[in-house]
């Protein structure tokens, strides 16, 4: 755009105003909606149809304790470079429905509207996608943090997906259901223990544990990815000659944790293992040029991971108008 000065821009907008005069009445009569459009994105892996459903975003307050092994000044610089607020981590939530043709599988269940006023849009987006909660056959959980399991129930503690079998990682169940671990936990971690007991205690009979590494439905493979939590699990979706890695919380917002893969966040139960898992999976995704999705990546949360001199970068997928 040569010679684009403020003067030419102003001249341009004057011309545009003249051009728009014919349509001015229609524009003036259209009131702003004041509402966001649905957060739904569909794509295919082989024969499988995938639906990414946006559950909103939480701006998580953070301070000097957030990254265990980096000065807060470095974190603040990373936030500024990512155009995030100085003291908050942008934490979007995206769940994924996989229609294998035989089963409708939901991977993680969102916040249930119980985390932040700006999150909890899963139910509306599920409806916008034309999926009824009772049509979900199987829920597979990556780990037991509230933003992944709270959507199993509504605010009144009623089950949302009435016909769904629920599968959870065995090591996750073993860690969080251990009363000794609950008693040893402090502060916010204790709340996490209490919350997941609220979710699971009266439906324990409907919950099946799997060993990470198992195939939980044809084409839906689980892979051990401990660190963030002791039983944190990721998923590999395979159909035909295509595949997708569902990274869960291997990294939260990629602008922070892909660019700084060595950072150990306060919410990683084993920070050293979390970093090792992140690098192992990111190296594989980058080397194999795999399509990946991350639960806390910007919506629609799918794309690729590339290696950079300092770490990694997430390259978002292009929005496709057709499947
Ligand atoms: Zn999470």
């Amino acid at each position: 755009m040569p010679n684009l000065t403020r003067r030419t821009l102003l001249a341009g907008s004057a011309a545009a105003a003249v051009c728009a005069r014919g349509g001015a009445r229609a524009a003036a009569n259209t009131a702003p909606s004041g509402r966001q459009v649905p957060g739904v994105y569909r794509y295919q892996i082989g024969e499988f149809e995938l639906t990414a459903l946006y559950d909103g975003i939480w701006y998580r307050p953070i301070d000097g304790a957030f990254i265990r092994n980096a000065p807060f000044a470095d974190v603040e610089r990373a936030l500024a470079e990512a155009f995030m607020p100085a003291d908050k981590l942008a934490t979007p939530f995206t769940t994924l429905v996989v229609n294998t043709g035989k089963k409708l599988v939901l991977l993680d269940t969102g916040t249930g509207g119980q985390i932040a006023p700006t999150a909890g849009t899963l139910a509306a987006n599920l409806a916008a996608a034309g999926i009824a909660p009772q049509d979900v056959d199987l829920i597979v959980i990556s780990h037991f943090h509230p933003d992944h399991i709270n959507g199993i129930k509504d605010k009144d503690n009623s089950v949302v997906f009435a016909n769904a079998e629920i599968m959870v990682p065995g090591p996750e169940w073993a860690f969080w259901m251990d009363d000794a671990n609950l008693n040893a936990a402090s502060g916010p971690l204790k709340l996490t223990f209490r919350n997941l007991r609220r979710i699971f205690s009266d439906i324990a009979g409907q919950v099946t544990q799997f060993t990470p590494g198992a195939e939980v439905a044809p084409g839906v493979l689980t892979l051990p990815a401990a660190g963030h939590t002791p039983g944190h699990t990721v998923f590999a979706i395979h159909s035909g000659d295509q595949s997708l890695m569902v990274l869960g919380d291997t990294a939260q917002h990629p602008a922070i944790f892909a660019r700084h893969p060595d950072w150990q966040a306060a919410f990683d139960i084993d920070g050293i293992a979390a970093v090792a898992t992140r690098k192992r999976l990111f190296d594989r995704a980058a080397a194999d040029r795999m399509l990946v999705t991350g639960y806390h990546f910007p919506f629609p949360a799918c794309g690729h991971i590339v290696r950079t001199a300092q770490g990694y970068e997430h390259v978002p997928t292009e929005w496709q108008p057709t499947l």
Side-chain angles (χ1 to χ4, degrees):
M1 212 181 285
N3 302 323
L4 189 57
T5 63
R6 181 175 149 80
R7 203 162 138 230
T8 56
L9 269 174
L10 287 173
S13 42
V18 172
C19 291
R21 198 162 290 157
R25 227 155 62 104
N29 289 346
T30 306
S33 75
R35 300 177 61 186
Q36 187 51 276
V37 293
V40 176
Y41 183 69
R42 217 157 237 163
Y43 52 112
Q44 276 189 316
I45 297 294
E47 298 291 307
F48 293 179
E49 185 177 273
L50 275 60
T51 307
L53 298 163
Y54 188 52
D55 189 44
I57 190 165
W58 174 37
Y59 283 92
R60 177 191 199 112
I62 57 171
D63 57 22
F66 177 56
I67 300 296
R68 294 186 185 126
N69 58 341
F72 196 49
D74 291 359
V75 178
E76 288 178 307
R77 193 177 317 119
L79 292 169
E81 286 170 0
F83 299 93
M84 285 186 203
D87 54 355
K88 294 185 181 68
L89 177 71
T91 308
F93 309 100
T94 297
T95 66
L96 193 63
V97 171
V98 182
N99 188 339
T100 69
K102 294 202 168 69
K103 274 194 170 173
L104 202 57
V105 184
L106 174 63
L107 303 178
D108 286 338
T109 61
T111 62
Q114 299 155 44
I115 303 274
T118 46
T121 53
L122 175 63
N125 286 325
L126 204 60
I131 301 170
Q134 62 267 26
D135 291 343
V136 174
D137 299 302
L138 173 63
I139 291 168
V140 191
I141 296 294
S142 66
H143 68 293
F144 283 3
H145 279 154
D147 51 316
H148 298 255
I149 60 168
N150 278 15
I152 290 174
K153 289 184 169 176
D154 63 19
K155 286 174 186 163
D156 303 321
N157 233 27
S158 298
V159 167
V160 172
F161 303 94
N163 300 316
E165 181 187 0
I166 301 170
M167 297 189 76
V168 304
E172 196 71 354
W173 187 274
F175 173 77
W176 294 104
M177 289 301 181
D178 186 324
D179 285 342
N181 289 337
L182 163 66
N183 293 331
S186 60
L189 197 57
K190 207 160 220 147
L191 294 179
T192 304
F193 275 93
R194 294 227 168 87
N195 177 69
L196 65 95
R197 281 151 198 254
R198 172 182 69 86
I199 296 291
F200 288 124
S201 54
D202 61 341
I203 57 166
Q206 295 154 249
V207 176
T208 308
Q209 296 177 43
F210 64 82
T211 303
E215 194 174 41
V216 288
V220 183
L221 191 70
T222 65
L223 299 167
H228 179 61
T229 63
H232 180 253
T233 299
V234 299
F235 310 111
I237 312 293
H238 300 288
S239 175
D241 59 357
Q242 292 186 302
S243 51
L244 168 76
M245 179 87 82
V246 183
L247 290 166
D249 280 17
T250 300
Q252 289 219 353
H253 202 296
I256 305 301
F257 291 99
R259 290 177 185 168
H260 304 277
D262 287 308
W263 282 1
Q264 299 173 28
F267 48 58
D268 292 333
I269 288 186
D270 182 338
I272 293 169
V275 166
T277 294
R278 183 179 304 146
K279 289 180 168 179
R280 174 171 60 85
L281 292 174
F282 275 27
D283 280 343
R284 184 177 158 194
D288 294 350
R289 298 179 64 82
M290 286 183 79
L291 189 66
V292 302
T293 180
Y295 194 76
H296 300 294
F297 287 12
F299 189 78
C302 55
H304 294 86
I305 297 292
V306 292
R307 289 209 65 146
T308 63
Q310 293 80 29
Y312 308 87
E313 193 73 27
H314 173 237
V315 182
T317 195
E318 299 286 353
W319 188 286
Q320 299 296 323
T322 55
L323 291 186

